[in-house]
Amino acid sequence: MGGGAFALPMFQDVVTTLSAQNKAKVVVITDACRSGKLAGSSVGGTQVTGSNLARQYANEIKILSCQPEEYSIEGEQWGGGRGAFSYNLVNALYGMADGNNDLFVTLQEVGRYLEDHVTAEVAPVSQVPMVLGNRNERMAKVDYKLLSALLSGKTSQMQMFSPIETRGMEDDVLAGVDTTTRDLYRLFKKALKEKVFLEPVNACAETYFNQLIQEPKFERLHSTMKRNYAAALQDDAQQTLNKVMKSDLKEILSSGATEINKYKLYIRHLEKASTLLGQKHYMYPILQGRQEHFKGYLMVSESHNDVKLGIKALEQLRSSLIWQPDQPLVYLDMSSVFGIVLGEPDSAKYYDLLAASLAPTWLLPYTHLSNILCRYKGRLDEAKILLDKALTIDSNAAVVWYFLGIWHAFNSRTDYLAAENCFNKSILLDPTVQSTYYYLACVLNEQNKIDAAYNQLELAINKGYKQYDKFQQDMRLENMRQNSERWKTLMKKHFPDKIKE
């Protein structure tokens, strides 16, 4: 006891004494230890520990993270790096397990919730929690307001899928294989970490995976490898979607060949991840839906004023919704097609507001719709109301101030000083966005603040906004071009390959 750990027999004696002799209600919740050394062995000890803990000696209630022969799984998707068991147990006790809505959670409801969620979420690895004791025992009283707040927060979250850690199992398996196999496994994990997935052919995760999956002594790790490979493959796509859902201005404004190639790679990786997990896995329809979404997004970005391509893009986006209904991002892209390609602002408004209803604190539906409505005569006031609504949700978001700057600067009610203030505010909140400096240069130029405009344009170029043709064609920069010597110097400095002597 003084050393920080109980021997298992002593632990059980304490539990039995409390429950049998003292008539106390005892609830024992255990998560499988990492090394298994409590059972006296570094290899196979976890199973021995689990078996002993699972024995029922008296009237105590036991909630165990897994079966004796299994291992507890943990990963980023469960509360930022907790165990699948502890994360879901807490949710169950908050009231998510209250199946009959009587505002009490019984042991039976806890057991059912854990089996339904833990078992599905760690797949294809096996982890089935155990509950022992009186199934009718009330484990928790539900606070309805707290539960409602918790459910509301989860509704707006995007489904996450992360790599996992298998406590003890990896050490057990690696102890029984040769050095060559251990080195191959190390290379596989390194390739996943560095995101070297499908090429080069002889030195990538796919090659190492295919070799390890044929190794019989590695069979116990095969499911973990599939899971972690699939999770790594889809991670970049998931992070991109997460950034957009967080209204990350830099991600929202990204475009061009680099982004198109990136999204094409996402589609390829999502397809491979789906194949690894199989159709029965809970993430399969989500990954399929994301594939179709990225395909549709690429069509939207390429459609411009091509009505036929726009209609095809809508069909592609709707196919994503078949796999995964109620995706706010998909509705936002559908709004783009209606508002920009098909010339139907009311349909664009319908889909943007549908996206907003699914994610009430998401800023993008309001800024996006405002930008679309500015294209249509007589809808400027409506566009401004949407931006004001976004400000009430979050007045410290760079994306809102950016589009407020656009509204003030580039429509029939131009107020360049107001636009200047908005762009400065956006830069203060997010100094990484190239185009904000460019548009600030434009509105300074319109106010004949030529030196300040040159400074902002150079900042935009230094941060990567190197669209030479746009600089040459954009009439908003005419005042700067009239100062021909400085303009030529700037262009020669940053675009020497474009300048003809």
Side-chain angles (χ1 to χ4, degrees):
M1 290 169 64
F6 275 121
L8 283 172
M10 185 183 297
F11 174 76
Q12 189 58 58
D13 284 346
V14 172
V15 173
T16 303
T17 300
L18 288 170
S19 60
Q21 295 182 22
N22 296 15
K23 306 301 181 186
K25 183 187 294 184
V26 180
V27 179
V28 181
I29 301 172
T30 66
D31 209 347
C33 66
R34 287 181 182 273
S35 67
K37 290 181 181 178
L38 288 179
S41 171
S42 61
V43 179
T46 303
Q47 294 93 319
V48 178
T49 303
S51 297
N52 279 276
L53 290 172
R55 292 176 184 169
Q56 189 87 9
Y57 291 96
N59 296 321
E60 73 266 15
I61 287 171
K62 288 186 173 180
I63 305 175
L64 312 180
S65 65
C66 59
Q67 304 290 314
E69 71 278 5
E70 296 175 338
Y71 294 80
S72 289
I73 304 303
E74 58 187 22
E76 278 295 313
Q77 76 184 72
W78 299 289
R82 290 162 52 193
F85 167 74
S86 63
Y87 178 79
N88 280 293
L89 176 61
V90 170
N91 285 341
L93 295 174
Y94 269 127
M96 290 189 184
D98 183 17
N100 59 3
N101 297 314
D102 65 351
L103 298 184
F104 288 97
V105 178
T106 65
L107 181 62
Q108 180 173 343
E109 288 174 324
V110 169
R112 184 180 297 119
Y113 186 89
L114 290 175
E115 283 194 25
D116 288 346
H117 288 77
V118 175
T119 305
E121 290 173 17
V122 304
V125 179
S126 177
Q127 181 181 344
V128 183
M130 297 174 64
V131 296
L132 304 167
N134 179 7
R135 294 295 179 117
N136 293 321
E137 187 71 48
R138 288 178 172 178
M139 304 300 297
K141 184 177 180 179
V142 180
D143 182 320
Y144 182 74
K145 290 183 178 179
L146 187 60
L147 176 61
S148 297
L150 190 66
L151 289 170
S152 175
K154 288 182 178 295
T155 300
S156 61
Q157 289 178 356
M158 183 172 290
Q159 178 65 57
M160 186 177 176
F161 184 62
S162 73
I164 59 174
E165 296 292 337
T166 49
R167 303 178 182 183
M169 186 193 299
E170 187 174 86
D171 291 338
D172 285 357
V173 172
L174 292 176
V177 300
D178 58 39
T179 304
T180 302
T181 305
R182 283 198 295 273
D183 288 344
L184 193 61
Y185 184 63
R186 179 183 56 79
L187 288 171
F188 171 70
K189 292 182 71 173
K190 184 173 183 285
L192 293 191
K193 184 177 181 180
E194 296 176 356
K195 300 189 176 182
V196 180
F197 298 128
L198 305 176
E199 19 188 66
V201 175
N202 294 322
C204 64
E206 178 71 6
T207 299
Y208 306 138
F209 175 81
N210 288 331
Q211 292 177 34
L212 289 166
I213 211 75
Q214 302 299 321
E215 174 54 59
K217 291 183 179 180
F218 242 72
E219 186 175 359
R220 289 167 62 201
L221 279 181
H222 287 171
S223 294
T224 303
M225 289 168 55
K226 281 184 181 180
R227 160 77 183 226
N228 288 351
Y229 188 13
L233 280 162
Q234 63 84 55
D235 184 63
D236 281 344
Q238 181 171 284
Q239 296 306 323
T240 293
L241 296 174
N242 288 346
K243 286 180 182 179
V244 178
M245 289 301 296
K246 290 177 181 176
S247 303
D248 182 290
L249 183 57
K250 191 171 186 179
E251 187 64 46
I252 291 163
L253 297 176
S254 63
S255 61
T258 301
E259 281 66 32
I260 288 173
N261 291 333
K262 180 173 72 173
Y263 296 145
K264 287 179 178 177
L265 192 60
Y266 289 172
I267 293 167
R268 188 180 174 195
H269 288 171
L270 288 166
E271 183 179 10
K272 178 65 182 177
S274 301
T275 303
L276 284 165
L277 294 175
Q279 296 183 13
K280 294 183 179 179
H281 195 278
Y282 79 96
M283 279 296 295
Y284 185 83
I286 296 169
L287 297 177
Q288 291 292 112
R290 289 178 184 174
Q291 281 183 67
E292 301 304 311
H293 178 200
F294 279 113
K295 290 176 185 176
Y297 176 83
L298 288 174
M299 289 185 183
V300 173
S301 64
E302 294 170 358
S303 58
H304 304 296
N305 295 318
D306 188 332
V307 172
K308 288 184 178 179
L309 187 55
I311 292 171
K312 285 185 178 180
L314 285 176
E315 293 173 357
Q316 186 67 52
L317 291 168
R318 288 188 177 111
S319 70
S320 174
L321 295 172
I322 293 172
W323 284 104
Q324 189 187 6
D326 297 337
Q327 296 180 73
L329 266 171
V330 174
Y331 291 125
L332 199 79
D333 288 338
M334 292 174 72
S335 170
S336 293
V337 177
F338 280 109
I340 299 172
V341 182
L342 303 183
E344 300 179 23
D346 289 327
S347 294
K349 181 177 180 179
Y350 171 81
Y351 284 105
D352 259 314
L353 295 183
L354 182 55
S357 70
L358 293 170
T361 60
W362 191 27
L363 299 170
L364 212 52
Y366 303 102
T367 59
H368 180 261
L369 180 57
S370 172
N371 204 38
I372 287 175
L373 293 180
C374 283
R375 299 165 178 262
Y376 294 91
K377 187 176 180 180
R379 307 200 76 158
L380 288 177
D381 290 337
E382 192 178 353
K384 182 63 163 52
I385 289 170
L386 289 163
L387 292 172
D388 290 340
K389 169 68 175 176
L391 271 182
T392 64
I393 296 172
D394 187 355
S395 61
N396 288 312
V399 65
V400 181
W401 291 103
Y402 177 90
F403 282 103
L404 269 170
I406 297 291
W407 188 90
H408 282 295
F410 306 123
N411 60 56
S412 59
R413 299 179 194 172
T414 51
D415 184 341
Y416 293 121
L417 181 58
E420 178 186 343
N421 292 333
C422 288
F423 288 131
N424 276 322
K425 178 76 171 178
S426 185
I427 288 170
L428 185 65
L429 292 166
D430 187 349
T432 67
V433 183
Q434 309 153 1
S435 60
T436 319
Y437 296 93
Y438 173 74
Y439 285 125
L440 178 56
C442 290
V443 298
L444 289 167
N445 171 67
E446 291 288 353
Q447 298 173 80
N448 209 32
K449 300 175 182 178
I450 303 300
D451 288 339
Y454 267 116
N455 292 339
Q456 294 302 322
L457 183 58
E458 186 139 25
L459 277 172
I461 296 171
N462 287 336
K463 289 181 179 293
Y465 196 83
K466 298 186 177 181
Q467 300 184 37
Y468 176 77
D469 293 336
K470 185 172 178 59
F471 296 151
Q472 292 296 91
Q473 297 169 11
D474 200 327
M475 293 304 295
R476 289 189 292 267
L477 301 178
E478 186 60 34
N479 289 343
M480 295 171 70
R481 281 205 298 273
Q482 288 174 5
N483 187 338
S484 57
E485 289 307 313
R486 186 165 181 183
W487 181 267
K488 288 178 182 177
T489 301
L490 185 69
M491 293 298 112
K492 286 180 180 180
K493 176 182 177 181
H494 293 289
F495 306 100
D497 58 320
K498 299 271 188 178
I499 303 298
K500 293 182 179 179
E501 292 295 338

